Amino acid sequence: MTTVEPPKVTLTNGAAARTDASAPTNAPRLVTLEAIMVEAVDRAERRAHEKEKPIPLPWPTLAEHFGGGLWPGVHFLNAGTGIGKSALALQIATHAARQGFPAAYIGLELEAMQVALRVLGDVSRVPWSKLYTGKSGPEHFRRVREAMPSLEGLPLHFQFARPQGYPASELGRVAEELRALYPEKDGPGSRPCLVVLDFLQIIGDEQYESRDLRERIGRAAYFARDVASRLNMPVLAISSVAREKYVLEASKCGVDYDTDDNGRPVERRLRNPDLLVGTGKESGEIEFSGDSVSMLMRVPETYDGHGVDVVFATAKARATRATWSPLHFTGFGYEEPEDGGARMVDAWKNATTARETAREEKKTAKEQVKLTKIDADAMAIVRYVLAHPDCKVTQARINAVADSSVRWTKGVDRLGPALVQTKVGKVVGCRVDVARLPDGWTPTMDVDAPPHPPPPSTSTVDGPAALPRTKDNDGQSTMSIVSTTDAHSRNGVGS
């Protein structure tokens, strides 16, 4: 099995961490309903009096997704690559700390410099990428340095480790250290703390173990659940979306809403929330055990060169309904859109209109192709019958439309009264009434040249098939347009 050295805890101002990497192994005990309901009602009353609070979120509309904020539990946030899930997680952690709620951010992907610049960029409203790539000017640095004092002394802690080198048990150890730094002096829930794991799919093995990704993720979920229930902490687990789910679009995932007089989405809801649960890469099964499952989905039609609107959809929440809210990514952070999501709604409506227009155009084009083919068959019938007046119907059908009854019927319907069929005995003959042809159809005969006699039909009624007909030696044509009989001959089809 692969040996992985456990990383060191790097929480600032941290107390000594436990040396035991395993979670508590005390066997659960049976309890009575009386015991749990008394404690449950006591805590509910504490929450009613705001003695126990959830972790606040920077966006009031999103807080409603979770009943006011992040309560103790395991909360999954799924998003595709590059959509900004780390930026959102850092905003949540920073906002909590600025409101006095301790937070620990475990970064398995981002380095310390990126994290620091992202936090500073959000607060100072400077694109962190310009700071990181050396493209910032004096004004940017002035704003960043002015913002730095506001972040000093915050109860915001970080731990960094290499991808695949961070064992799940370390999550429990970090949470215990965070709780040791910020104990609950006034009872359960009196000092909420937040743990952010970014991100789930690059969690590592325990020492002396070698597990596949699904097992490692499952173990991380186990420690997250233990932290949430034992230490009264919400754990926000960032998760990458499975590759086959990258194509998910908000407008196609059951996002529904009404609109107010200003075109803003209200009464927001999800018609098919189950579609969004289980979208995480190799984490779908454990998401069903989470306290909440949310997903970020970009609305690409709203991109303005700097930022883009995003849907934050919560498909599952223990105590609230499935819902969604609009956010706007500015290039350095997320904020609630000034228009309340009206631009997003317009983009969806325009996209829907464009899809319907394209669908109708495609349908019309297909119908036009069909009509063109019918017209071609009808013209072939006209050409043949003009060249062979009073020919038998079977002969015309065989030579004009390759003996296809379907094509013949549609072609005859197109010609209408212009194709005159007469029955003499048992034989049905046909001729063309040129004056009654559809508008624009004016084929003419060369009156100086007698028409070719019609070749025998391949039908069993009309006798054996004849050899293909060729042009006269004098080169005279029976009509002013090429006969389809010759075209059939060139294509190897017998006339």
Side-chain angles (χ1 to χ4, degrees), residues 161-181:
R162 66 184 187 277
Q164 310 295 339
Y166 188 92
S169 59
E170 189 68 12
L171 178 64
R173 189 155 51 230
V174 168
E176 287 186 352
E177 184 176 355
L178 190 65
R179 178 54 74 205
L181 287 171

Side-chain angles (χ1 to χ4, degrees), residues 35-332:
I36 61 174
M37 70 180 182
V38 169
E39 181 181 357
V41 172
D42 286 345
R43 291 194 66 178
E45 189 172 10
R46 287 171 59 83
R47 293 183 180 187
H49 292 101
E50 296 188 348
K51 293 181 179 180
E52 183 176 345
K53 299 180 180 179
I55 297 294
L57 296 176
W59 316 278
T61 54
L62 259 64
E64 297 173 3
H65 291 213
F66 310 97
L70 296 179
W71 293 97
V74 182
H75 305 274
F76 292 99
L77 174 61
N78 299 336
T81 301
I83 199 171
K85 52 185 182 292
S86 293
L88 187 136
L90 279 169
Q91 273 188 267
I92 292 175
T94 303
H95 178 79
R98 297 184 78 179
Q99 300 299 313
F101 294 82
Y105 177 89
I106 303 170
L108 305 184
E109 181 183 32
L110 304 181
E111 60 185 17
M113 180 181 179
Q114 285 192 40
V115 168
L117 293 180
R118 285 171 183 261
V119 173
L120 284 166
D122 174 40
V123 176
S124 62
R125 301 187 70 80
V126 171
W128 78 272
S129 58
K130 291 187 178 297
L131 295 169
Y132 187 76
T133 57
K135 297 181 179 179
S136 293
E139 175 61 19
H140 284 170
F141 286 112
R142 182 190 65 79
R143 286 155 58 182
V144 167
R145 294 188 185 282
E146 287 181 353
M148 290 174 66
S150 67
L151 298 173
E152 295 175 355
L154 294 180
L156 180 59
H157 307 271
F158 299 91
Q159 186 183 36
F160 301 100
R162 66 184 187 277
Q164 310 295 339
Y166 188 92
S169 59
E170 189 68 12
L171 178 64
R173 189 155 51 230
V174 168
E176 287 186 352
E177 184 176 355
L178 190 65
R179 178 54 74 205
L181 287 171
Y182 307 100
E184 295 178 302
K185 297 181 179 180
D186 297 326
S190 59
R191 194 67 194 272
C193 297
L194 171 67
V195 175
V196 178
L197 176 62
D198 186 12
F199 61 95
L200 197 58
Q201 280 72 24
I202 52 178
I203 200 77
D205 274 320
E206 299 299 319
Q207 190 175 17
Y208 310 120
E209 292 183 353
S210 179
R211 301 172 182 264
D212 63 25
L213 178 59
R214 186 179 294 271
E215 290 177 314
R216 296 198 303 272
I217 290 175
R219 188 172 178 83
Y222 161 75
F223 278 99
R225 172 59 60 190
D226 174 66
V227 166
S229 59
R230 183 165 55 88
L231 300 176
N232 284 311
M233 291 184 184
V235 178
L236 178 59
I238 310 302
S239 179
S240 178
V241 171
R243 186 173 298 276
E244 63 270 17
K245 301 294 184 180
Y246 279 4
V247 296
L248 283 177
E249 297 179 16
S251 58
K252 299 179 182 179
C253 292
V255 169
D256 202 1
Y257 54 90
D258 298 328
T259 54
D260 62 12
D261 294 338
N262 296 314
R264 296 173 298 192
V266 295
E267 298 297 327
R268 298 179 298 274
R269 53 201 179 270
L270 296 175
R271 293 195 307 273
N272 189 14
D274 291 344
L275 187 64
L276 301 179
V277 180
T279 55
K281 181 180 180 181
E282 299 294 344
S283 65
E285 295 178 2
I286 63 172
E287 290 176 21
F288 289 95
S289 64
D291 292 275
S292 74
V293 178
S294 301
M295 187 169 180
L296 282 176
M297 292 175 286
R298 189 182 290 115
V299 183
E301 298 87 353
T302 62
Y303 180 69
D304 58 8
H306 301 285
V308 65
D309 290 346
V310 173
V311 168
F312 187 104
T314 300
K316 174 188 175 182
R318 296 275 187 205
T320 56
R321 65 182 178 87
T323 186
W324 66 275
S325 291
L327 286 179
H328 180 72
F329 184 69
T330 62
F332 46 79

